[in-house]
Amino acid sequence: MSETNPQRVAIVTGASRGIGAEIAVSLAGQGRHVVLVARDEAKLESVSRRIADEHDGASSIHPCDVSRTEALEQAVEQVASEHGRLDILVNNAGISRDNLMLRMTDEEFDEVIAVNLRAVFVACRTALRPMMRGQWGRIINVGSVSGLVGNAGQANYAASKAGLIGLTRSLAKEMARKNITANVVAPGFIETDMTEVLPDAVKEAALQVTPLRRFGRGREIAAAVAYLASDDAGYTTGQVLTVDGGMTMV
Ligand code: NAP
């Protein structure tokens, strides 16, 4: 993958752990300056140190709750103005509040939509101006196989991730002539805090429907994101790249 000069600037949300941390490390390895966004400042600092250790890479942290619209807008604007550019936006922050539909509360629904969908809309909207000024942009939104095929107990989560696909494709069509691409990476079961808490029976059921018979690793999602963020991915837009061990192949 080609590197560029001057250095491209990337924002990764949900970069304090799990998949987002791996994405941040991977983009830094490509020579990007990566701005790490999440709520836990100490964990962001530790990922930033890892980037310095592993890649001698440049990163900075910007603690922010992405469900707070004004704070998120300010974070994106501040990064763009401090660096004079914003090239790559990875919306990875995500939560689940699983419950069967019959029992799911409005709060459980709204909370998931606020982080997984509305924050993505807000971050994209704010990032577009600096990307248009730079006449180049890569937006990668982290979805889920739940958004493709649904999942019992995840009406809120699946709706947010399915919504993300419609948002991303609309954005891809609006921005194509501005040289800004927008794509979704849809992971299957990946080993992180989010899946660690699932009951063993659920994990076993997931393995049974995964042809590769193992959970994925964060860096395997990061590799897909790094490709879509690269200069060489310039002819790929509006796509959903599923990385799920074959779970949803058609
Ligand atoms: P995770 O380990 O639970 O990490 C979630 C990340 O999102 C953390 O960095 C967390 O940071 C951040 N976050 C959550 N709420 C936030 C908020 N309000 N504001 C800012 N940051 C927030 O999850 P993961 O497994 O790495 O998942 C990453 C993405 O992949 C999510 O979008 C998830 O839906 C998707 N995904 C995961 C799997 C899987 O199997 N793991 C499968 C499909 C899709 P703080 O707590 O520090 O704020």
Coordinates of all heavy atoms in Angstrom, one line a residue, residues 52-115:
A52 N 3.7 4.1 19.7 CA 5.1 4.6 19.7 C 6.1 3.5 19.8 O 7.1 3.5 19.1 CB 5.2 5.6 20.9
D53 N 5.7 2.5 20.6 CA 6.7 1.4 20.8 C 6.8 0.5 19.6 O 7.8 0.1 19.1 CB 6.2 0.4 22.0 CG 6.4 1.1 23.3 OD1 7.0 2.2 23.4 OD2 5.8 0.7 24.3
E54 N 5.6 0.1 19.0 CA 5.6 -0.8 17.9 C 6.0 -0.3 16.6 O 6.5 -0.9 15.7 CB 4.2 -1.5 17.8 CG 3.9 -2.5 18.9 CD 2.6 -3.2 18.8 OE1 2.0 -3.3 17.6 OE2 2.1 -3.6 19.8
H55 N 5.6 1.0 16.4 CA 5.8 1.6 15.0 C 6.6 2.9 15.0 O 6.8 3.5 14.0 CB 4.4 1.9 14.4 CG 3.6 0.6 14.1 ND1 4.1 -0.4 13.3 CD2 2.4 0.2 14.6 CE1 3.2 -1.3 13.2 NE2 2.2 -1.0 14.0
D56 N 7.0 3.3 16.2 CA 7.7 4.6 16.3 C 6.7 5.6 15.6 O 7.1 6.6 15.0 CB 9.0 4.6 15.5 CG 9.9 5.7 15.9 OD1 9.6 6.3 17.0 OD2 10.8 6.0 15.1
G57 N 5.4 5.3 15.8 CA 4.4 6.1 15.1 C 3.9 7.3 15.9 O 4.0 7.3 17.1
A58 N 3.2 8.2 15.1 CA 2.7 9.4 15.7 C 1.2 9.2 16.0 O 0.5 8.8 15.1 CB 2.9 10.6 14.8
S59 N 0.8 9.5 17.2 CA -0.6 9.5 17.5 C -0.9 10.5 18.6 O 0.0 11.0 19.3 CB -1.0 8.1 18.0 OG -0.4 7.8 19.3
S60 N -2.2 10.9 18.7 CA -2.6 11.7 19.8 C -3.9 11.2 20.3 O -4.6 10.4 19.6 CB -2.6 13.2 19.4 OG -3.1 13.3 18.1
I61 N -4.3 11.7 21.5 CA -5.6 11.2 22.1 C -6.5 12.3 22.2 O -6.2 13.5 22.4 CB -5.4 10.4 23.4 CG1 -4.9 11.4 24.5 CG2 -4.4 9.3 23.3 CD1 -5.1 10.8 25.9
H62 N -7.8 12.0 22.1 CA -8.9 13.0 22.2 C -10.0 12.3 22.9 O -10.9 11.8 22.3 CB -9.3 13.6 20.9 CG -10.0 14.9 21.0 ND1 -9.5 16.0 20.5 CD2 -11.1 15.2 21.7 CE1 -10.3 17.0 20.8 NE2 -11.3 16.5 21.5
P63 N -10.0 12.3 24.3 CA -11.1 11.7 25.0 C -12.5 12.4 24.7 O -12.6 13.6 24.6 CB -10.8 11.9 26.5 CG -9.3 12.2 26.5 CD -9.0 12.9 25.2
C64 N -13.5 11.6 24.4 CA -14.8 12.1 24.0 C -15.8 11.0 24.0 O -15.6 9.9 23.7 CB -14.6 12.6 22.5 SG -16.2 13.2 21.8
D65 N -17.0 11.4 24.5 CA -18.2 10.5 24.4 C -18.9 10.8 23.1 O -19.4 11.9 22.9 CB -19.1 10.8 25.6 CG -20.3 9.9 25.6 OD1 -20.6 9.3 24.6 OD2 -21.0 9.8 26.7
V66 N -18.8 9.8 22.2 CA -19.3 10.1 20.9 C -20.8 10.3 20.8 O -21.4 10.8 19.8 CB -18.9 9.0 19.8 CG1 -17.4 9.0 19.7 CG2 -19.5 7.7 20.2
S67 N -21.5 9.9 21.9 CA -23.0 10.1 21.9 C -23.3 11.5 22.2 O -24.5 11.9 22.1 CB -23.6 9.1 22.9 OG -23.3 9.5 24.2
R68 N -22.3 12.3 22.6 CA -22.6 13.7 22.8 C -22.3 14.5 21.6 O -21.1 14.8 21.2 CB -21.8 14.2 24.0 CG -22.3 13.6 25.3 CD -21.5 14.0 26.5 NE -21.4 15.5 26.6 CZ -20.2 16.1 26.8 NH1 -19.1 15.4 27.0 NH2 -20.1 17.4 26.8
T69 N -23.3 14.9 20.8 CA -23.1 15.5 19.5 C -22.1 16.6 19.5 O -21.2 16.7 18.6 CB -24.5 15.9 18.9 OG1 -25.2 14.7 18.7 CG2 -24.3 16.6 17.6
E70 N -22.3 17.6 20.4 CA -21.5 18.8 20.3 C -20.0 18.5 20.6 O -19.1 19.0 19.9 CB -21.9 19.8 21.4 CG -22.6 21.0 20.8 CD -23.0 22.0 21.8 OE1 -22.2 22.5 22.6 OE2 -24.2 22.3 21.8
A71 N -19.8 17.6 21.6 CA -18.4 17.2 21.9 C -17.8 16.5 20.7 O -16.6 16.7 20.5 CB -18.5 16.3 23.1
L72 N -18.5 15.6 20.1 CA -18.0 14.9 18.9 C -17.6 15.8 17.8 O -16.6 15.8 17.2 CB -19.0 13.8 18.5 CG -18.6 13.0 17.3 CD1 -17.2 12.3 17.5 CD2 -19.6 11.9 17.0
E73 N -18.6 16.8 17.5 CA -18.3 17.8 16.4 C -17.0 18.5 16.8 O -16.2 18.7 15.9 CB -19.5 18.7 16.3 CG -20.6 18.2 15.5 CD -21.8 19.1 15.6 OE1 -21.9 20.0 16.4 OE2 -22.7 19.0 14.7
Q74 N -16.9 19.0 18.0 CA -15.8 19.7 18.4 C -14.5 18.9 18.3 O -13.4 19.5 17.8 CB -15.9 20.2 19.9 CG -16.7 21.5 20.0 CD -17.0 21.8 21.5 OE1 -16.4 21.2 22.4 NE2 -17.9 22.7 21.7
A75 N -14.5 17.7 18.6 CA -13.4 16.8 18.5 C -12.9 16.7 17.1 O -11.7 16.9 16.8 CB -13.7 15.4 19.1
V76 N -13.8 16.5 16.2 CA -13.4 16.3 14.7 C -12.9 17.6 14.2 O -11.9 17.7 13.5 CB -14.7 15.8 13.9 CG1 -14.3 15.7 12.4 CG2 -15.1 14.4 14.4
E77 N -13.6 18.7 14.5 CA -13.2 20.0 14.0 C -11.8 20.4 14.6 O -11.0 20.9 13.8 CB -14.2 21.1 14.4 CG -15.4 21.2 13.5 CD -16.6 22.0 14.0 OE1 -16.4 22.5 15.2 OE2 -17.6 22.0 13.4
Q78 N -11.6 20.1 15.8 CA -10.3 20.4 16.5 C -9.1 19.6 15.8 O -8.1 20.2 15.5 CB -10.3 20.1 18.0 CG -9.2 20.8 18.7 CD -9.4 20.5 20.2 OE1 -10.5 20.5 20.8 NE2 -8.2 20.4 20.9
V79 N -9.4 18.4 15.5 CA -8.3 17.6 14.9 C -8.0 18.2 13.5 O -6.8 18.4 13.1 CB -8.8 16.1 14.7 CG1 -7.8 15.3 13.8 CG2 -8.9 15.4 16.1
A80 N -9.1 18.5 12.8 CA -8.8 19.1 11.4 C -8.1 20.4 11.5 O -7.2 20.7 10.6 CB -10.2 19.2 10.7
S81 N -8.5 21.2 12.5 CA -7.8 22.5 12.5 C -6.4 22.4 13.0 O -5.5 23.1 12.5 CB -8.7 23.6 13.2 OG -8.5 23.4 14.6
E82 N -6.2 21.6 14.0 CA -4.8 21.4 14.5 C -3.8 20.9 13.5 O -2.7 21.3 13.4 CB -4.8 20.4 15.7 CG -5.0 21.1 17.1 CD -5.1 20.1 18.2 OE1 -4.8 19.0 18.0 OE2 -5.6 20.6 19.3
H83 N -4.3 20.0 12.7 CA -3.4 19.3 11.7 C -3.5 20.0 10.3 O -2.7 19.6 9.4 CB -3.7 17.8 11.6 CG -3.4 17.1 12.8 ND1 -2.2 16.5 13.1 CD2 -4.1 16.8 14.0 CE1 -2.2 15.9 14.3 NE2 -3.3 16.1 14.8
G84 N -4.5 20.8 10.2 CA -4.7 21.5 8.9 C -5.3 20.5 7.8 O -5.3 20.8 6.6
R85 N -5.7 19.3 8.3 CA -6.3 18.3 7.3 C -6.9 17.2 8.1 O -6.7 17.0 9.3 CB -5.2 17.8 6.5 CG -4.1 17.0 7.3 CD -2.9 16.6 6.4 NE -3.3 15.7 5.3 CZ -2.9 15.8 4.1 NH1 -2.0 16.7 3.8 NH2 -3.3 15.0 3.1
L86 N -7.8 16.5 7.4 CA -8.4 15.3 8.0 C -8.6 14.4 6.8 O -9.4 14.7 5.9 CB -9.7 15.5 8.7 CG -10.4 14.3 9.2 CD1 -9.5 13.4 10.2 CD2 -11.7 14.6 10.0
D87 N -8.0 13.2 6.8 CA -8.1 12.3 5.6 C -8.9 11.1 5.8 O -9.5 10.6 4.8 CB -6.6 11.9 5.2 CG -5.7 13.1 5.0 OD1 -5.8 13.8 4.0 OD2 -4.9 13.4 6.0
I88 N -8.8 10.5 7.0 CA -9.4 9.2 7.2 C -10.2 9.3 8.5 O -9.8 9.8 9.5 CB -8.2 8.1 7.4 CG1 -7.4 8.0 6.1 CG2 -8.8 6.8 7.8 CD1 -6.1 7.3 6.3
L89 N -11.4 8.8 8.4 CA -12.3 8.7 9.6 C -12.8 7.2 9.7 O -13.4 6.7 8.8 CB -13.5 9.6 9.4 CG -14.6 9.5 10.5 CD1 -14.1 9.9 11.9 CD2 -15.9 10.3 10.1
V90 N -12.5 6.6 10.9 CA -12.9 5.3 11.1 C -13.9 5.3 12.3 O -13.5 5.6 13.4 CB -11.8 4.3 11.5 CG1 -12.3 2.9 11.6 CG2 -10.7 4.3 10.4
N91 N -15.2 5.1 12.0 CA -16.2 5.1 13.1 C -16.3 3.7 13.5 O -17.0 2.8 12.9 CB -17.5 5.6 12.5 CG -17.5 7.1 12.2 OD1 -17.4 7.9 13.2 ND2 -17.7 7.5 11.0
N92 N -15.7 3.4 14.7 CA -15.6 2.0 15.2 C -16.3 1.9 16.6 O -16.7 0.8 16.9 CB -14.2 1.6 15.3 CG -14.0 0.4 16.2 OD1 -14.2 -0.7 15.8 ND2 -13.6 0.7 17.5
A93 N -16.4 3.0 17.3 CA -17.1 3.0 18.6 C -18.4 2.3 18.5 O -19.2 2.7 17.7 CB -17.2 4.4 19.2
G94 N -18.7 1.4 19.4 CA -20.0 0.7 19.3 C -20.3 0.0 20.7 O -19.4 -0.3 21.4
I95 N -21.6 -0.1 20.9 CA -22.0 -0.8 22.2 C -23.2 -1.7 21.8 O -23.8 -1.6 20.8 CB -22.5 0.2 23.2 CG1 -23.7 1.1 22.7 CG2 -21.4 1.1 23.7 CD1 -24.4 1.9 23.7
S96 N -23.4 -2.7 22.7 CA -24.6 -3.5 22.6 C -25.4 -3.4 23.9 O -24.7 -3.3 25.0 CB -24.2 -4.9 22.2 OG -23.3 -5.4 23.2
R97 N -26.6 -3.5 23.8 CA -27.5 -3.6 25.0 C -28.6 -4.6 24.7 O -29.7 -4.3 24.3 CB -28.2 -2.2 25.3 CG -27.3 -1.1 25.7 CD -26.7 -1.2 27.1 NE -25.9 -0.1 27.4 CZ -24.5 -0.1 27.2 NH1 -23.9 -1.2 26.8 NH2 -23.8 1.0 27.6
D98 N -28.1 -5.9 24.7 CA -29.0 -7.0 24.2 C -30.2 -7.3 25.0 O -30.1 -7.3 26.3 CB -28.2 -8.3 24.0 CG -27.0 -8.1 23.0 OD1 -26.9 -7.1 22.4 OD2 -26.3 -9.1 22.9
N99 N -31.3 -7.6 24.4 CA -32.5 -8.0 25.1 C -33.5 -8.5 24.1 O -33.4 -8.0 22.9 CB -33.1 -6.8 25.8 CG -33.8 -7.2 27.1 OD1 -34.1 -8.4 27.3 ND2 -34.1 -6.2 28.0
L100 N -34.3 -9.4 24.4 CA -35.4 -9.8 23.5 C -36.3 -8.6 23.2 O -36.6 -7.8 24.1 CB -36.1 -11.0 24.0 CG -35.3 -12.3 24.1 CD1 -36.1 -13.4 24.8 CD2 -34.9 -12.7 22.7
M101 N -36.8 -8.5 22.0 CA -37.7 -7.4 21.6 C -38.8 -7.2 22.6 O -39.1 -6.0 23.0 CB -38.3 -7.7 20.2 CG -39.2 -6.7 19.7 SD -38.3 -5.4 18.9 CE -38.3 -6.0 17.2
L102 N -39.4 -8.2 23.1 CA -40.6 -8.1 24.1 C -40.2 -7.3 25.3 O -41.0 -6.6 25.9 CB -41.1 -9.5 24.5 CG -42.2 -10.1 23.6 CD1 -42.4 -11.5 24.0 CD2 -43.5 -9.2 23.7
R103 N -38.9 -7.4 25.7 CA -38.5 -6.8 27.0 C -37.6 -5.6 26.7 O -37.3 -4.9 27.7 CB -37.6 -7.8 27.7 CG -38.4 -9.0 28.2 CD -37.5 -9.8 29.3 NE -37.9 -11.2 29.3 CZ -37.1 -12.2 29.1 NH1 -35.8 -12.0 28.9 NH2 -37.6 -13.4 29.1
M104 N -37.3 -5.3 25.5 CA -36.3 -4.2 25.2 C -37.0 -2.9 25.6 O -38.1 -2.6 25.2 CB -35.9 -4.2 23.8 CG -34.7 -3.2 23.5 SD -34.1 -3.4 21.8 CE -33.2 -4.9 21.9
T105 N -36.2 -2.0 26.3 CA -36.8 -0.7 26.7 C -36.4 0.3 25.7 O -35.5 0.1 24.8 CB -36.2 -0.3 28.1 OG1 -34.7 -0.1 27.9 CG2 -36.4 -1.3 29.2
D106 N -37.1 1.4 25.7 CA -36.8 2.6 24.8 C -35.4 3.0 25.0 O -34.6 3.4 24.1 CB -37.7 3.8 25.1 CG -39.1 3.5 24.6 OD1 -39.4 2.4 24.1 OD2 -40.0 4.4 24.7
E107 N -34.9 3.0 26.3 CA -33.6 3.5 26.7 C -32.5 2.6 26.0 O -31.5 3.0 25.5 CB -33.4 3.5 28.2 CG -34.1 4.6 28.9 CD -35.7 4.3 29.0 OE1 -36.1 3.2 29.0 OE2 -36.4 5.3 29.0
E108 N -32.8 1.3 26.1 CA -31.8 0.3 25.5 C -31.7 0.5 24.0 O -30.7 0.4 23.4 CB -32.2 -1.1 25.8 CG -31.9 -1.6 27.2 CD -32.6 -2.9 27.6 OE1 -33.6 -3.3 27.0 OE2 -32.1 -3.5 28.6
F109 N -32.9 0.8 23.4 CA -32.9 1.1 21.9 C -32.1 2.4 21.6 O -31.2 2.4 20.8 CB -34.3 1.1 21.4 CG -34.4 1.2 19.9 CD1 -34.4 0.0 19.2 CD2 -34.5 2.4 19.3 CE1 -34.5 0.0 17.8 CE2 -34.6 2.4 17.9 CZ -34.6 1.2 17.2
D110 N -32.5 3.4 22.3 CA -32.0 4.8 22.0 C -30.5 4.9 22.3 O -29.8 5.5 21.5 CB -32.7 5.9 22.8 CG -34.1 6.1 22.4 OD1 -34.5 5.5 21.3 OD2 -34.9 6.7 23.1
E111 N -30.0 4.2 23.4 CA -28.6 4.3 23.7 C -27.8 3.7 22.6 O -26.7 4.3 22.2 CB -28.4 3.5 25.0 CG -27.4 4.1 26.0 CD -27.2 3.2 27.2 OE1 -28.3 2.6 27.7 OE2 -26.1 3.0 27.6
V112 N -28.2 2.6 22.1 CA -27.4 1.9 21.0 C -27.5 2.7 19.8 O -26.4 2.9 19.1 CB -28.0 0.5 20.8 CG1 -27.4 -0.2 19.6 CG2 -27.6 -0.4 22.0
I113 N -28.6 3.2 19.4 CA -28.7 4.1 18.2 C -27.8 5.3 18.3 O -27.1 5.7 17.4 CB -30.2 4.5 17.9 CG1 -31.0 3.3 17.6 CG2 -30.2 5.5 16.8 CD1 -30.7 2.5 16.3
A114 N -27.8 5.9 19.5 CA -27.0 7.1 19.7 C -25.5 6.9 19.5 O -24.8 7.7 18.8 CB -27.2 7.7 21.1
V115 N -25.0 5.8 19.9 CA -23.5 5.5 19.8 C -23.2 4.9 18.4 O -22.3 5.3 17.7 CB -23.0 4.6 20.9 CG1 -21.6 4.2 20.7 CG2 -23.2 5.2 22.3

